[in-house]
Amino acid sequence: AQSVAQPEDQVNVAEGNPLTVKCTYSVSGNPYLFWYVQYPNRGLQFLLKYITGDNLVKGSYGFEAEFNKSQTSFHLKKPSALVSDSALYFCAVRDQSPNSGYALNFGKGTSLLVTP
Amino acid sequence: NAGVTQTPKFRVLKTGQSMTLLCAQDMNHEYMYWYRQDPGMGLRLIHYSVGEGTTAKGEVPDGYNVSRLKKQNFLLGLESAAPSQTSVYFCASSYGQGGSPLHFGNGTRLTVT
């Protein structure tokens, strides 16, 4: 089965500092990986994805993610955090198995808190 | 530019009552999904549809039914609500294969007492 794990329930960072939200994956074959952000009382918003190609993927709101095949990781990063980045972040992997509907399998989420 | 719209936004049910959640998308997506979100558990797939007139079970389908009579709509039904179904329900849609992301609605917060 295709799955992802987010080892941290919460990440705290000071505004202006770099941030990293961790994700590791377990798949058979080539992974299709995604990051989403959820603000309070809202749905999930797509940030970025890795399908193939460059290991550094750039996305919305200044976020980027680094795909590392040897470490089976897909960590989300931002060089300089903003207070407005405080939200819940989800890593996800596309289920490529037959009869899966190409659904996404999500991690449990990491709450990011950026303090002024 | 509505995207994915879910109705209602909030609902309170008593145990044993039934209800239907409506999801509508205007992006001409073939694939649609219903997820539930519970604290500390991420999102879990309830049912999905790969096209008009077709539905299939996801990870946690028990106690739910779905229908996709029109391409743009995906309905989630609770036949006899239970407190364990208290959750936030999200609908999503996509083109399906490859790198196409899922587009989510803003959710329905359901409380079963």
Side-chain angles (χ1 to χ4, degrees):
Chain A
Q2 324 276 335
S3 66
V4 293
Q6 296 179 243
E8 302 157 318
D9 291 336
Q10 182 160 324
V11 170
N12 298 319
V13 63
E15 187 174 30
N17 283 358
L19 70 87
T20 298
V21 182
K22 295 179 180 178
C23 174
T24 58
Y25 65 88
S26 175
V27 304
S28 54
N30 295 321
Y32 286 20
L33 296 161
F34 301 78
W35 275 102
Y36 282 80
V37 60
Q38 184 182 30
Y39 297 102
N41 301 313
R42 299 300 300 272
L44 277 69
Q45 297 178 29
F46 169 70
L47 280 178
L48 51 79
K49 66 183 179 185
Y50 173 83
I51 306 301
T52 185
D54 289 341
N55 290 340
L56 186 64
V57 179
K58 294 189 182 298
S60 306
Y61 312 122
F63 283 93
E64 57 190 26
E66 185 173 10
F67 173 74
N68 188 316
K69 189 172 184 178
S70 62
Q71 297 185 5
T72 61
S73 66
F74 188 54
H75 300 332
L76 182 70
K77 300 182 178 184
K78 188 174 183 181
S80 178
L82 300 172
V83 172
S84 57
D85 292 330
S86 298
L88 190 57
Y89 290 82
F90 289 97
C91 182
V93 62
R94 169 146 277 143
D95 194 332
Q96 305 278 53
S97 56
N99 303 318
S100 69
Y102 299 105
L104 296 187
N105 296 334
F106 287 87
K108 294 185 178 181
T110 298
S111 179
L112 174 66
L113 179 63
V114 181
T115 52
Chain B
N1 194 14
V4 179
T5 303
Q6 291 183 234
T7 53
K9 291 182 171 56
F10 303 94
R11 186 71 187 268
V12 178
L13 290 179
K14 294 184 177 179
T15 298
Q17 289 184 320
S18 63
M19 76 163 295
T20 300
L21 283 66
L22 173 64
C23 175
Q25 54 96 3
D26 62 2
M27 295 172 282
N28 202 34
H29 286 163
E30 288 291 338
Y31 292 68
M32 297 188 74
Y33 311 86
W34 277 106
Y35 286 87
R36 60 177 288 173
Q37 182 181 22
D38 302 291
M41 302 188 73
L43 281 79
R44 293 179 292 169
L45 183 66
I46 305 172
H47 285 279
Y48 64 92
S49 169
V50 301
E52 181 179 314
T54 70
T55 63
K57 295 179 180 180
E59 178 187 357
V60 288
D62 294 343
Y64 305 96
N65 58 75
V66 288
S67 63
R68 183 105 180 263
L69 299 179
K70 294 183 178 181
K71 185 177 182 178
Q72 63 267 33
N73 296 336
F74 194 28
L75 279 63
L76 177 71
L78 283 72
E79 298 161 338
S80 179
S84 60
Q85 294 177 304
T86 293
S87 187
V88 182
Y89 292 86
F90 287 100
C91 176
S93 69
S94 85
Y95 288 112
Q97 300 187 35
S100 57
L102 270 60
H103 297 262
F104 283 83
N106 283 331
T108 295
R109 185 174 296 274
L110 174 66
T111 302
V112 183
T113 60

